[in-house]
Amino acid sequence: MEIKKLANNALIFGVNRFIEIFGVCIVVIGVLLLISLISFSPDDPNFIFPENTQIKNLLGYRGSFSADLFFQSFGLISLLLPFSLILTGTNIILNKKIFLVIESNFFSILYLFCGSLFFSVFYKDAFVLYINGNGGFVGKYLETSFLNSLISFNLQATYYLLIFLIIVFFLITIQFKLKVFYKIIK
């Protein structure tokens, strides 16, 4: 009987360490993505302009390409994704629930689409994202779909609705709990 209990405890211990390692990997990916997005320069080599220029991205060639991929795909809303990854990885480490990553990815995709549409419709003028604009090519595509007629029906309501959806989906992604937040503030 002791051997069965010992084997069960060893299995639980091994599974928990695997889940923690998985969470740490997600946190590291989030930190690296944040560094590459923050140090993004449109003059760095990318998929469109693969010139032999000096790379200004802190993560070098790979950081330049990954930052360009996210910014050209989703636009400025990509800056929220590393925070989602970091906090999801932390939640996986603390709660030992590996399936949080599936829920987090689902809601991350939703707020990325809403944010791309938001920046593409309401903030078209690109500051450094001169190829696809602030909403990326996903935002441009969503803007040309039937959603444009729905948005143009009431611009002000749609503006606040998209901001609300982005915030709600982001908070769901990071497993935000109002009770825990209230206890921390109190």
Side-chain angles (χ1 to χ4, degrees), residues 45-111:
N46 53 38
F47 294 108
I48 299 170
F49 304 113
E51 299 172 0
N52 293 331
T53 60
Q54 182 182 5
I55 298 173
K56 298 174 186 169
N57 198 303
L58 292 176
L59 296 180
Y61 182 76
R62 289 183 179 92
S64 171
F65 274 88
S66 61
D68 186 62
L69 176 69
F70 280 98
F71 277 134
Q72 296 305 329
S73 298
F74 300 107
L76 292 178
I77 197 69
S78 298
L79 289 169
L80 282 182
L81 188 61
F83 296 107
S84 294
L85 290 173
I86 292 168
L87 293 171
T88 298
T90 305
N91 283 330
I92 289 173
I93 293 168
L94 296 176
N95 298 328
K96 310 288 188 276
K97 295 180 182 177
I98 201 163
F99 292 109
L100 287 176
V101 76
I102 296 171
E103 181 182 355
S104 174
N105 284 340
F106 175 73
F107 287 106
S108 293
I109 290 169
L110 289 178
Y111 80 70

Side-chain angles (χ1 to χ4, degrees), residues 57 72 115 120 149 160:
N57 198 303
Q72 296 305 329
S120 184
S149 61
Y160 292 113

Side-chain angles (χ1 to χ4, degrees), residues 172-186:
I172 292 172
T173 300
I174 63 171
Q175 303 293 319
F176 178 78
K177 306 284 188 231
L178 192 58
K179 290 180 183 178
V180 174
F181 181 71
Y182 180 71
K183 286 180 183 178
I184 291 172
I185 297 290
K186 193 174 178 182

Side-chain angles (χ1 to χ4, degrees), residues 108-129:
S108 293
I109 290 169
L110 289 178
Y111 80 70
L112 283 172
F113 282 174
C114 290
S116 293
L117 180 64
F118 174 78
F119 282 114
S120 184
V121 170
F122 294 107
Y123 295 101
K124 293 180 184 182
D125 297 332
F127 298 105
V128 294
L129 305 175

